[in-house]
Amino acid sequence: MNINQINKLIQQDIINVNFEIHKRLKSKITLINKLIQYIINSGGKKIRSSMVLLIAKSLTYKKNQHVIIATLIEFIHAATLLHDDVVDTSEMRRGKITANIMFGNAASVLVGDFIYTRAFQMMTELQSLRILSLMANAVNIIAEGEIMQLIHCHDPTITINHYMKIIYNKTARLFEVASQTSAILANADIKQEQALGNYGKYIGIAFQLIDDVLDYDTSNTILFGKHTGNDLNEGKPTLPLLHAIHHSTPKEASIIRQAIKNGNNRHLLNIILNTMQQYGSLEYTRKCAETKINQAISCLSILPASPYKKALKNLAYFIIHRYH
């Protein structure tokens, strides 16, 4: 079952989510509409919202509020991307010029705020204090994760354990809360709720680790207009770099540390790529992601057999095999 077959299984729900996205993000302010239309047209696979829809269906949920959760999860994700691109001074995303380059930093930040607040308006419609509390806490943790990443930018001394904490906060937490709240909405028992929350968490960690690998995939430059080694250029110490530091010679490790400290060291990229290849750093990171995916799949044993459970399993495999 590939991603298109998965989407076909929940096709009507996806149509409903897209309808809600367009309806909910309309504004009387032209700039908001222009910028939002730009990011909507930039695409994206909507993996988080697909998880919400599939989990609800796997628990035989019959109402429509799972569409609301799926939509507001997409809003939170879109808002974080707008803010991230400003912080990182990014120029490309998904093969397109970023909104901050097209519309300016101020507009991107403020429209990101508009999208965040619209998500919270939608949360109140669910009339569940528990879901509202979980969502609010998750957004707060995501913000902390982004700040932790900012603090440790250009810091080659960060430990792997601390880096894993950062990626849980800034990336995996949204996957986790998406899965958990969908389970709550569908009246899952406590064991199902915890297992499905963990499914989302492991998927989210794997997603970020694969992102770490793809940043050093030279084919991305050709296929998706993405510069290889952006993380290194921005001084971000991701898992492949940390692994290479811990396993290479002192001289090789020193070059990587200096590149992280200084940033803007694209002239060292080929040397560092060769070092990571020599010590299997990208393969190590991919295997860490595969371990998380296997943990995610094991969490699905709590669900009864159904096409939706099978789709959740295949969605997990898709994370490992994606190319952007």
Side-chain angles (χ1 to χ4, degrees):
M1 188 183 289
N2 60 33
I3 194 69
N4 292 329
Q5 291 169 318
I6 292 169
N7 289 339
K8 190 173 182 180
L9 192 63
I10 48 172
Q11 186 172 13
Q12 187 56 53
D13 281 344
I14 290 173
I15 290 169
N16 293 340
V17 168
N18 288 333
F19 176 80
E20 289 293 331
I21 288 172
H22 284 89
K23 182 179 82 171
R24 303 283 185 153
L25 291 182
K26 279 185 181 176
S27 170
K28 294 177 182 177
I29 299 172
T30 304
L31 176 60
I32 292 176
N33 291 331
K34 282 184 178 179
L35 197 151
I36 284 172
Q37 199 59 45
Y38 185 79
I39 60 174
I40 287 173
N41 291 338
S42 296
K45 294 180 179 60
K46 297 184 173 64
I47 291 169
R48 298 156 191 81
S49 56
S50 292
M51 285 169 47
V52 170
L53 302 174
L54 289 167
I55 286 170
K57 292 289 190 183
S58 71
L59 292 166
T60 64
Y61 179 71
K62 300 297 184 186
K63 298 179 183 178
N64 283 321
Q65 285 189 313
H66 64 314
V67 170
I68 300 299
I69 292 183
T71 304
L72 69 87
I73 287 290
E74 284 301 316
F75 287 177
I76 293 168
H77 177 53
T80 59
L81 292 185
L82 281 171
H83 289 170
D84 284 355
D85 286 343
V86 171
V87 171
D88 296 338
T89 62
S90 300
E91 297 179 358
M92 299 290 290
R93 182 176 288 279
R94 297 169 185 151
K96 286 187 67 174
I97 296 171
T98 52
N100 51 299
I101 299 298
M102 286 293 293
F103 297 92
N105 287 338
S108 289
V109 170
L110 294 173
V111 172
D113 292 343
F114 171 83
I115 297 172
Y116 262 133
T117 54
R118 187 52 52 88
F120 276 91
Q121 287 175 328
M122 293 178 70
M123 286 178 211
T124 64
E125 295 175 25
L126 299 169
Q127 297 185 328
S128 168
L129 188 58
R130 182 142 185 264
I131 289 177
L132 178 61
S133 177
L134 284 168
M135 288 284 189
N137 288 338
V139 172
N140 184 257
I141 288 168
I142 292 164
E144 284 186 341
E146 294 291 353
I147 293 165
M148 287 165 66
Q149 179 175 263
L150 181 65
I151 290 168
H152 290 284
C153 204
H154 302 290
D155 177 13
T157 66
I158 185 174
T159 65
I160 288 177
N161 283 342
H162 196 64
Y163 176 69
M164 295 300 289
K165 172 72 172 174
I166 289 173
I167 69 172
Y168 166 70
N169 284 7
K170 81 178 189 71
T171 302
R173 190 68 183 91
L174 186 58
F175 283 85
E176 182 180 30
V177 79
S179 301
Q180 185 180 4
T181 53
S182 183
I184 292 169
L185 186 69
N187 293 316
D189 62 41
I190 190 65
K191 286 185 178 179
Q192 288 175 321
E193 179 194 326
Q194 289 173 347
L196 292 167
N198 284 333
Y199 168 83
K201 176 177 72 174
Y202 296 136
I203 289 280
I205 293 170
F207 186 93
Q208 184 59 57
L209 292 176
I210 293 298
D211 255 12
D212 290 354
V213 172
L214 291 176
D215 190 65
Y216 295 100
D217 184 352
T218 53
S219 65
N220 271 349
T221 303
I222 299 167
L223 294 175
F224 308 112
K226 182 180 176 183
H227 293 302
T228 303
N230 267 350
D231 288 344
L232 181 69
N233 211 41
E234 293 166 7
K236 290 181 181 177
T238 59
L239 187 56
L241 293 174
L242 295 175
H243 179 273
I245 287 172
H246 292 272
H247 290 82
S248 58
T249 66
K251 182 178 179 181
E252 290 164 333
S254 177
I255 290 171
I256 299 172
R257 287 193 188 96
Q258 282 303 120
I260 292 170
K261 278 183 184 178
N262 298 334
N264 297 314
N265 274 321
R266 194 166 288 279
H267 63 286
L268 296 175
L269 179 59
N270 285 336
I271 295 171
I272 293 171
L273 282 173
N274 289 335
T275 301
M276 287 194 293
Q277 184 176 8
Q278 183 178 349
Y279 297 100
S281 300
L282 295 178
E283 186 58 28
Y284 169 80
T285 305
R286 186 173 286 278
K287 285 191 180 299
C288 287
E290 288 173 356
T291 298
K292 295 300 176 184
I293 289 299
N294 289 332
Q295 289 177 288
I297 290 169
S298 70
C299 292
L300 297 176
S301 63
I302 201 80
L303 292 174
S306 73
Y308 305 107
K309 177 180 178 178
K310 183 179 178 182
L312 285 165
K313 182 177 180 180
N314 281 282
L315 189 64
Y317 286 130
F318 169 76
I319 299 297
I320 287 291
H321 299 296
R322 68 193 178 91
Y323 294 100
H324 64 104

